[in-house]
Amino acid sequence: MTFSIVARSDDGRLHGVAVASKFLAVGALVPAAEAEVGALATQARANLAYRPQGLAFLRTGLAAGDVLAGLVAADPDRSQRQIGMVDAAGAGATYTGAECHDWAGGQAGAGWAVQGNILAGPEVVDEMRDAWLAGAGRHFPDRLLGALRAGDLAGGDRRGRQSAALLVVGRGGGYGGGSDVVVDLRVDDHPDPVTELARLLEVHRMLFERPDPEMLLDLSGDLADEVSRLLAGLGYPEEEGAGLDARLAAWAGVENLEERLAPARIDPVVLSQLRAQF
């Protein structure tokens, strides 16, 4: 009762899962991923033990196809299971048990695996595959979400819509560099969960994405004067010992924009949010 894509970025740095379903809080059950190890989605009559077991086997260097085969071979209820997996090297594999409810099936290739059950038809998987392949060069979370949206537009879960989730991992790519979780967003109960997930991803990007160094503006001259005036108007006045960087950091911390700060420069996103306060 779920459709998902499991994938690795073309540069090998990121792994992720995007999933949607007519099921409450699908993101709490289906996806699992570990940086530089792999990612998987367990669904249909989901076996949640596949998540830690699958990642443990992938951690040893086994290929996705071999890990998947081992998991289902040891599962007496494998005929009701569905799983997709991508390993550290980018090999994709998918499995659909014979007793999964129609329409059920999946496809896999280099760097991706797409699967679903209780779908409107095989076109859901076809459209997800095509969207993924056509999305080369896109920002990895956007590429995953684009494939999920394509499946949703093709009919998705034929029972309707309820929840969606996006999980992306990469070594040191999370908040403050102290986590490997780059994106972990869930829409647990919503009439249009994939659209809501896209909205959340935009908010996540604004708040937590690290700025492109080439886009940063020098915090000097007229721009420094403007930023100083704006900060003063928001209750962060010039004070002895408090430089402009410190004042900007104090305001940005309150606004949850601290990941976008850079010494002596300012991210255009931060500047836009600062100006929007007036």
Side-chain angles (χ1 to χ4, degrees):
M1 48 217 174
T2 300
F3 56 102
S4 67
I5 177 166
V6 182
R8 189 196 74 159
S9 62
D10 290 340
D11 63 9
R13 294 181 55 251
L14 303 173
H15 282 81
V17 182
V19 57
S21 181
K22 180 64 170 69
F23 188 90
L24 181 69
V26 70
L29 304 179
V30 169
E34 184 174 331
E36 300 177 357
V37 170
L40 63 90
T42 175
Q43 52 199 57
R45 187 182 167 207
N47 184 341
L48 301 191
Y50 282 179
R51 298 188 303 177
Q53 291 171 358
L55 291 176
F57 284 126
L58 288 173
R59 213 174 290 128
T60 70
L62 286 173
D66 294 332
V67 173
L68 189 152
L71 290 175
V72 300
D75 186 349
D77 294 319
R78 55 187 171 273
S79 64
Q80 301 174 65
R81 312 295 194 196
Q82 189 172 57
I83 182 171
M85 186 180 298
V86 173
D87 60 30
T94 189
Y95 167 84
T96 299
E99 295 182 33
C100 290
H101 294 297
D102 285 338
W103 187 87
Q107 300 178 34
W112 61 275
V114 172
Q115 47 283 314
N117 61 95
I118 317 186
L119 300 184
E123 63 273 15
V124 176
V125 168
D126 290 342
E127 291 295 322
M128 293 178 72
R129 173 204 63 207
D130 291 348
W132 172 258
L133 295 176
R138 293 186 69 188
H139 193 53
F140 183 66
D142 291 324
R143 190 178 181 188
L144 285 170
L145 187 57
L148 191 70
R149 184 184 293 279
D152 189 48
L153 292 174
D157 187 327
R158 61 182 170 83
R159 301 167 307 155
R161 300 178 172 98
Q162 187 169 7
S163 64
L166 177 65
L167 174 64
V168 176
V169 299
R171 184 67 65 200
Y175 181 83
S179 164
D180 296 337
V181 180
V182 180
V183 177
D184 187 2
L185 297 173
R186 285 173 34 181
V187 178
D188 287 346
D189 189 18
H190 194 280
D192 191 2
V194 176
T195 298
E196 177 64 5
L197 188 62
R199 185 190 71 80
L200 291 178
L201 181 58
E202 285 303 309
V203 176
H204 183 279
R205 177 176 290 115
M206 181 189 72
L207 293 175
F208 302 122
E209 191 171 89
R210 293 165 193 169
D212 180 350
E214 295 185 1
M215 298 298 292
L216 294 172
L217 306 173
D218 288 334
L219 201 50
S220 60
D222 290 344
L223 182 57
D225 290 342
E226 178 192 4
V227 169
S228 182
R229 288 195 304 271
L230 292 173
L231 289 171
L234 291 170
Y236 300 87
E238 292 186 62
E239 296 178 353
E240 186 175 350
L244 186 55
D245 274 352
R247 294 164 60 206
L248 182 59
W251 169 81
V254 172
E255 299 297 322
N256 299 320
L257 289 163
E258 60 272 17
E259 286 289 272
R260 287 189 166 274
L261 294 177
R265 294 184 292 174
I266 188 168
D267 181 353
V269 172
V270 173
L271 181 59
S272 177
Q273 291 298 305
L274 182 59
R275 287 169 171 168
Q277 300 289 315
F278 292 89

